[in-house]
Amino acid sequence: MKGCPKNCYFPGIKFILFTFYLCFVNQIVYSQIENDSLSTDILKQLSLEELMNIEITIVSKQSRSWFETPAAVYVISGEEIKRSGMKTVPEILRLAPNLQVAQVNSHDWAITSRGFNGAPLSNNSLANKLLVMIDGRSVYTPLFGGVFWDVQNVLIEDIDHIEVVSGPGGTLWGANAVNGIINIVTKNTKDSQGLYVSGAVGSFMKDFGAVRYGGSIGTDFHYRVYSQRFDFENTKLSDESDFQDAWDMTQSGFRMDYYLSDVNTYTLQGDFYGGNEGTLYTNIIDGQNVLGRWTHTFSKESDFSLQAYIDRTWRKLPASTFSEDLRTYDFDFQYHFLIGGLHNIVWGIGYRFMQDIVNDNPQIFSPSDRDMKLFSGFVQDEIVLVPNHLKLTVGTKFERNDFSGFELQPGIRIAWTPNERQTIWSAISRAVHSPSRFDVDLIISGIHIGKKDFDSEKMISYELGYRILPTEVLSLSATAFYNQYDDIRTINLTSQQGLVFANDQEAKTWGFEVSLNYKVADWWRLHTGYTYLDKDFKTLSIEVAPGSDIFEGIDPHNQFMFQSIMNLPENFQLDLVGHYADLLPASMITSTASTPAYFTFDARLGWQFRNWELSLIGQNLWENLHPEFGLLQIPRSVYGKISFSL
Amino acid sequence: MLINTINTISKKPSQVWRTRLLILVPALILFTTGSYSQTSKEMVYRLKAAYLFNFIQFVEWPDSVFENENSPIILAVLGKDPFGKILDETVLNEKIGNHPIIIKRFRYLSQLEFCHVLFVSDSETGTFQFILKSIKESPILTISDIDNFGIHGGNISFYLEENKLRFAINIQALKQSALKVSSKLLRLAKVINPL
């Protein structure tokens, strides 16, 4: 807080103390009404009828662990995904209030957390501080440190949940987890058994079809196979003419889980995809991946897991003669054990080899091809200071990459759970964004803009979080953060070389995230969230080009979302999702105009009849057209969907 | 220029207060509505232990499973034991007829020994169907709080209804295991049929 500039938005220390005072007062009230006092001696005297009349309330295991986590975690459940009517992974991420999600064009998205949604270059956001994983497979590209969202698809029906961590998260997560982590977890094959067929037609999503079959051999081996295809329409320019960015994607995949015993479980899964998309030209994309994991449990106090994957992703822009073929080979080992119930220790090592082959004319990356190695390791100890109440987590990540060498990323987190309904946590962590090929190898018009010794961008993050379950039907989570960044990328104007990248700015960001889940009635649930973000950049050299700050972060100050899920009589469902984002500043460097603030909402009407489900979904209903990140206008749209499961 | 604009905005004092209010108002609303108590997991298992003790009193085993009138009724917990000391405290010094009750714990199915009552811990959610198959038709009363335990052939399964702990009985499964239950138990239970 000391580093916070005068009069900034960050709530004052008095204010925070006042909030603490509030929760103390209420803690006393809680302890008086504790109904946990019935002893075993009393209980066993009671008749069955009497036992059946004792009121209890239980929070599930999963929500429990979420509740006590000392990090800003938001979990999007499979049910919330299904009921949102959203069709692609990036769209679904709008359900996490701690993410900033903006659709750039028909197939590209700008997604980040706590700011740094970089300027759009060839329509892709330069957001480069997020770690994104699908079932343990990291999907950000070393080309620019961001994510090609168009090729990150999964069968929506088979998503179990999505964990979203804003902030550096923890020492357990891998490289690039600076501003946030998105972990997409698909269902275990045991939970996706049987036949599922689904089809849709609509105005923006022209058509969609999916089929999945899950089966088993014996009691311990389960599998599923799936295939899906979709076609999306163009977005619009401001004069309502088509921007030629329609796209289609076909993807198939499988997963097998072999539950040999309590001791050993094995998973093997893979996907392959291909598609076409317009920008000004037609891109062709395809890719394949396969992942295997072995989990071995020695006892309830120790286990390890071993994971390996191979991922190939390829894209070609024929007219501009650019193509990229990235092959990733990754190996991870993780060991976990308890010492005396007080120490919960996890350590792991990982090795990743990335082979990036670029064919470009004119040259954009020099050298064209690059092999990159990443060694990483981590160790973390979760220490119980006061059983059930106070936990301290200390740990660090180690990393060695080809560009900036050895990086240390330690963190310390503390969680205080005064009672089962409240958690207060705080964390200080250091995180590093290691350089990408964009930072080092970029060439424009024959000028080498990339900086050969580009330094890593460093961050120290301070977080304070609070969660409360005031009643059985309500949960609230709030996090305040203050981040200090060093060696942030700049574009410098030098007399000798012209434009070059450098590490010549510092930044501070601060803000807070609030989310609320409210079960209004058995048939009606609400989720809502609000995020506030502000930042301040400081340049360290007179060579820094004006606009270098906006180039790194085109972010809204205020952002709001809500989701309403209603079960109506006669098996009808009525669902809404709405979101608001504040004005985005213009970027001088990329000549992108400012994007006005917008609000929009989606509505879904569903009806279930035996094995059938019919739904009608309207999206972006508020306005005929609205831009979310730059120029292109996202149209109001509608689609109808029919699903059958057996 | 844009940096200056951002700085100017952030220095407006009225906005500082607006931001503070945005945190404070929901906090106040929440703190004043806190009249609800969450039941601890330990309490839930104290309750389940009391149920188990009751069930044993309402079940009749074939004579063949007891060596003599004084031999114990063995209550086994399979998987990660969620009860801790609670179960031992509940049955301490208790007898059903002349049979004392003793508790045994088995982490894995392969270690399971002779018992009369088997509580399957929710740690076995992934394997409980296999457990049920392997002890099918033995005179063992199977009890669990795993979802769908009953419809897959478990004898007694716990479930929640309107914040109250209830139990369901699978009659067909009971018949197969040659156990008799009193009509009182059946009257209070939800009766379910296997798949």
Side-chain angles (χ1 to χ4, degrees), chain A residues 274-287:
Chain A
N276 302 286
E277 56 191 29
T279 43
L280 290 170
Y281 321 107
T282 302
N283 299 349
I284 309 165
I285 40 189
D286 76 39

Side-chain angles (χ1 to χ4, degrees), chain A residues 92-241:
Chain A
I92 287 164
L93 296 174
R94 290 190 199 281
L95 299 176
N98 52 347
L99 286 179
Q100 287 102 52
V101 178
Q103 184 162 8
V104 181
N105 62 32
S106 192
H107 47 75
D108 292 324
W109 277 263
I111 299 176
T112 192
S113 161
R114 298 186 179 172
F116 286 88
N117 233 345
L121 272 193
S122 74
N123 297 317
N124 231 305
S125 154
L126 278 178
N128 63 2
K129 293 177 178 57
L130 212 54
L131 171 64
V132 181
M133 288 181 295
I134 301 177
D135 285 335
R137 177 172 54 91
S138 168
V139 298
Y140 79 93
T141 170
L143 192 68
F144 68 100
V147 178
F148 285 116
W149 286 104
D150 49 355
V151 292
Q152 314 311 336
N153 294 290
V154 287
L155 182 65
I156 301 301
E157 176 74 14
D158 286 345
I159 299 180
D160 189 75
H161 65 275
I162 300 178
E163 296 160 6
V164 177
V165 184
S166 42
T171 42
L172 295 189
W173 306 90
N176 223 42
V178 181
N179 274 22
I181 298 140
I182 297 171
N183 191 15
I184 298 159
V185 182
T186 68
K187 286 177 184 165
N188 190 296
T189 46
K190 246 186 317 202
D191 304 318
S192 55
Q193 292 283 292
L195 180 70
Y196 170 81
V197 186
S198 179
V201 286
S203 60
F204 189 54
M205 181 175 72
K206 283 190 290 187
D207 53 69
F208 165 84
V211 56
R212 179 257 282 150
Y213 180 75
S216 63
I217 299 168
T219 51
D220 302 327
F221 183 86
H222 296 81
Y223 65 90
R224 69 168 176 254
V225 286
Y226 77 92
S227 195
Q228 68 173 9
R229 149 109 197 170
F230 55 70
D231 271 279
F232 278 87
E233 262 295 357
N234 299 309
T235 55
K236 305 277 183 188
L237 293 161
S238 43
D239 63 358
E240 300 199 14
S241 64

Side-chain angles (χ1 to χ4, degrees), chain A residues 83-85 574-577 601-605 616-621:
Chain A
R83 301 292 290 265
S84 71
L574 182 63
D575 309 310
L576 293 171
V577 184
F601 73 96
D602 302 350
R604 174 184 177 274
L605 181 68
L616 184 67
I617 293 105
Q619 293 192 299
N620 296 310
L621 295 173

Side-chain angles (χ1 to χ4, degrees), chain B residues 46-190:
Chain B
R46 280 207 291 265
L47 188 58
K48 283 176 184 168
Y51 266 106
L52 291 188
F53 177 57
N54 259 284
F55 293 151
I56 296 171
Q57 302 171 48
F58 291 107
V59 174
E60 211 177 295
W61 280 266
D63 289 341
S64 60
V65 300
F66 295 106
E67 266 179 39
N68 57 56
E69 282 175 12
N70 302 321
S71 60
I73 293 175
I74 300 165
L75 197 172
V77 177
L78 181 58
K80 286 182 188 165
D81 179 16
F83 290 102
K85 287 180 193 158
I86 297 167
L87 210 49
D88 306 77
E89 286 167 9
T90 306
V91 301
L92 187 72
N93 301 327
E94 294 290 346
K95 278 188 177 178
I96 310 292
N98 281 326
H99 303 292
I101 305 167
I102 60 170
I103 314 288
K104 286 190 177 180
R105 295 177 169 85
F106 304 99
R107 183 59 189 88
Y108 303 110
L109 179 62
S110 54
Q111 301 164 338
L112 185 66
E113 294 165 13
F114 174 79
C115 62
H116 300 94
V117 182
L118 181 67
F119 182 85
V120 183
S121 158
D122 63 2
S123 67
E124 306 311 293
T125 304
T127 49
F128 80 90
Q129 294 190 42
F130 185 70
I131 293 168
L132 286 173
K133 261 182 213 163
S134 60
I135 58 165
K136 203 175 175 183
E137 293 175 21
S138 321
I140 300 175
L141 180 72
T142 53
I143 306 172
S144 181
D145 44 15
I146 296 172
D147 287 345
N148 299 328
F149 185 75
I151 58 167
H152 285 111
N155 297 151
I156 301 184
S157 46
F158 287 115
Y159 67 99
L160 273 176
E161 192 175 83
E162 291 166 352
N163 290 335
K164 284 165 188 164
L165 190 65
R166 300 284 163 85
F167 63 98
I169 291 184
N170 181 330
I171 292 186
Q172 198 176 321
L174 268 175
K175 276 181 192 155
Q176 281 174 352
S177 42
L179 300 174
K180 283 179 194 158
V181 297
S182 82
S183 57
K184 183 183 173 186
L185 199 61
L186 282 177
R187 205 176 62 238
L188 293 171
K190 179 168 91 173

Side-chain angles (χ1 to χ4, degrees), chain A residues 285-490:
Chain A
I285 40 189
D286 76 39
Q288 306 80 27
N289 64 73
V290 60
L291 176 145
R293 189 184 307 114
W294 169 35
T295 308
H296 180 84
T297 309
F298 295 106
S299 70
K300 63 182 172 185
E301 293 185 347
S302 75
D303 53 71
F304 74 75
S305 74
L306 190 63
Q307 174 186 288
Y309 65 80
I310 303 172
D311 186 325
R312 177 186 168 275
T313 186
W314 178 82
R315 58 181 57 231
K316 186 174 186 195
L317 292 67
S320 67
T321 64
F322 172 89
S323 76
E324 188 214 1
D325 186 336
L326 172 69
R327 289 157 201 227
T328 306
Y329 306 86
D330 184 281
F331 167 89
D332 290 290
F333 174 81
Q334 187 171 316
Y335 189 90
H336 157 248
F337 60 101
L338 299 172
I339 300 177
L342 293 179
H343 291 267
N344 189 346
I345 298 171
V346 195
W347 63 266
I349 47 166
Y351 173 70
R352 189 178 299 162
F353 180 67
M354 290 162 284
Q355 223 176 355
D356 197 34
I357 300 158
V358 169
N359 279 303
D360 46 356
N361 183 24
Q363 203 172 16
I364 306 174
F365 288 91
S366 169
S368 292
D369 305 342
R370 215 184 237 283
D371 289 347
M372 288 162 279
K373 299 173 295 295
L374 180 74
F375 295 93
S376 58
F378 69 85
V379 57
Q380 177 184 293
D381 186 6
E382 187 184 274
I383 307 156
V384 177
L385 297 178
V386 181
N388 299 324
H389 292 298
L390 197 61
K391 255 189 229 171
L392 178 74
T393 309
V394 288
T396 188
K397 269 187 278 196
F398 319 92
E399 196 179 293
R400 204 201 162 283
N401 69 71
D402 288 352
F403 299 109
S404 63
F406 185 76
E407 303 281 6
L408 193 65
Q409 304 183 64
I412 180 163
R413 287 170 186 272
I414 192 155
W416 178 41
T417 312
N419 54 48
E420 290 208 313
R421 290 165 303 275
Q422 294 185 70
T423 298
I424 295 164
W425 63 269
S426 186
I428 302 174
S429 20
R430 181 180 194 264
V432 164
H433 165 71
S434 44
S436 66
R437 294 202 61 191
F438 182 83
D439 304 323
V440 180
D441 294 341
L442 188 70
I443 287 190
I444 295 177
S445 314
I447 302 168
H448 200 113
I449 291 183
K451 185 186 172 195
K452 288 246 158 62
D453 55 347
F454 192 89
D455 213 346
S456 56
E457 301 178 339
K458 294 116 187 146
M459 175 184 77
I460 307 260
S461 164
Y462 305 86
E463 295 173 279
L464 180 67
Y466 178 56
R467 293 192 192 95
I468 180 170
L469 303 168
T471 78
E472 177 201 14
V473 295
L474 198 63
S475 75
L476 173 99
S477 177
T479 310
F481 64 91
Y482 176 68
N483 296 341
Q484 276 178 303
Y485 299 82
D486 279 317
D487 297 325
I488 292 286
R489 178 175 59 203
T490 51

